[in-house]
Amino acid sequence: MAILKKYFPLIIFLLFACILIGTIIFYAPSWSLVDDFTMLENAKFVWLGGNFLGNLWQLILGGTKWGIFRPVFFIWTVLVCHIFRNTPLLIYVGMAIFNLITLLLWGFILHRTWLNEDKNIFRDIFLYPLTFFIFTPFLNIFMYISMQQKFIIFFSAVAIYFFYKGYVKERKIYFVFSVLAILLSTLNHAEGIFLNLALLLLTVVLF
């Protein structure tokens, strides 16, 4: 009974992951959302247009008409949509696995930074991150390829982890890695700028 209690968070996380991935495999989604299909067409334009780098730069600049410069997102979509153009199910499953790994990364960060004597590594890493799904829109990053926020969530975790390491270890190289993660987050979507503001406020508090 004690063993079951100890590993209960892990069991819940694995059960959730199996249900989520199993549902994706069962429904076998294709290029469903209009933005997903547009991404596929963009990838065809870049790869088949005869000038790969020129077409890619044209695509990136075209995105600025919305007032957003997001080269990381376009580079990712062009590569992934080309590789998986005939097997969209694989990209959906791969995306779900990537997002689940991101959740575990957030759980790991929580475990390392939580200033509480009552620490439980299984609860912290496997159970707490599932509370992200309290916010209904969070599920969208699992359902649609074109959702850009998944990279913000991932790079935010990486940035915060290295920022924490730099503060604890007092080594500047970790802050460099943190800044790089922030930069990648911002170049994926403008919403990443909020990560800059959050860590800036944290810097004022800590230093």
Side-chain angles (χ1 to χ4, degrees):
M1 197 67 179
I3 295 179
L4 179 62
K5 182 179 179 180
K6 178 180 179 181
Y7 292 102
F8 180 74
L10 173 60
I11 295 172
I12 293 297
F13 185 89
L14 292 177
L15 180 62
F16 173 82
C18 289
I19 292 174
L20 179 65
I21 295 176
T23 301
I24 292 174
I25 294 175
F26 177 78
Y27 283 102
S30 184
W31 302 98
S32 54
L33 187 67
V34 61
D35 288 347
D36 291 350
F37 182 76
T38 301
M39 285 166 39
L40 179 63
E41 293 300 308
N42 289 338
K44 291 179 181 178
F45 164 73
V46 172
W47 286 94
L48 303 178
N51 182 0
F52 180 85
L53 292 179
N55 293 338
L56 177 59
W57 184 243
Q58 183 178 338
L59 179 63
I60 293 172
L61 287 181
T64 60
K65 67 182 179 181
W66 305 105
I68 303 175
F69 184 65
R70 42 184 176 168
V72 172
F73 172 71
F74 283 117
I75 291 172
W76 177 82
T77 56
V78 164
L79 291 175
V80 169
C81 291
H82 177 72
I83 295 172
F84 297 100
R85 60 191 181 279
N86 297 319
T87 54
L89 178 59
L90 289 181
I91 187 176
Y92 275 99
V93 172
M95 184 175 60
I97 294 173
F98 171 80
N99 289 327
L100 289 169
I101 292 173
T102 300
L103 287 178
L104 295 179
L105 179 58
W106 273 105
F108 175 75
I109 292 172
L110 174 69
H111 179 73
R112 292 296 298 271
T113 59
W114 188 275
L115 300 178
N116 191 331
E117 294 182 359
D118 184 27
K119 283 191 174 183
N120 183 313
I121 187 169
F122 289 98
R123 179 192 60 202
D124 296 347
I125 294 180
F126 296 107
L127 197 57
Y128 282 159
L130 293 183
T131 61
F132 283 25
F133 290 93
I134 294 175
F135 307 97
T136 306
F138 184 74
L139 188 61
N140 291 339
I141 70 169
F142 284 85
M143 298 294 105
Y144 303 118
I145 303 170
S146 56
M147 293 298 293
Q148 302 160 51
Q149 286 75 12
K150 54 182 167 287
F151 290 112
I152 295 177
I153 295 170
F154 173 76
F155 286 124
S156 296
V158 174
I160 291 173
Y161 173 74
F162 281 121
F163 186 92
Y164 171 77
K165 289 280 288 187
Y167 177 72
V168 173
K169 300 288 186 178
E170 297 185 351
R171 296 186 60 184
K172 295 180 180 179
I173 186 63
Y174 290 114
F175 293 110
V176 173
F177 293 147
S178 180
V179 170
L180 288 175
I182 292 173
L183 183 62
L184 289 172
S185 174
T186 306
L187 292 178
N188 172 72
H189 195 277
E191 291 175 359
I193 194 67
F194 293 109
L195 175 61
N196 291 271
L197 298 175
L199 289 186
L200 179 62
L201 291 174
L202 189 58
T203 301
V204 173
V205 172
L206 293 178
F207 300 99

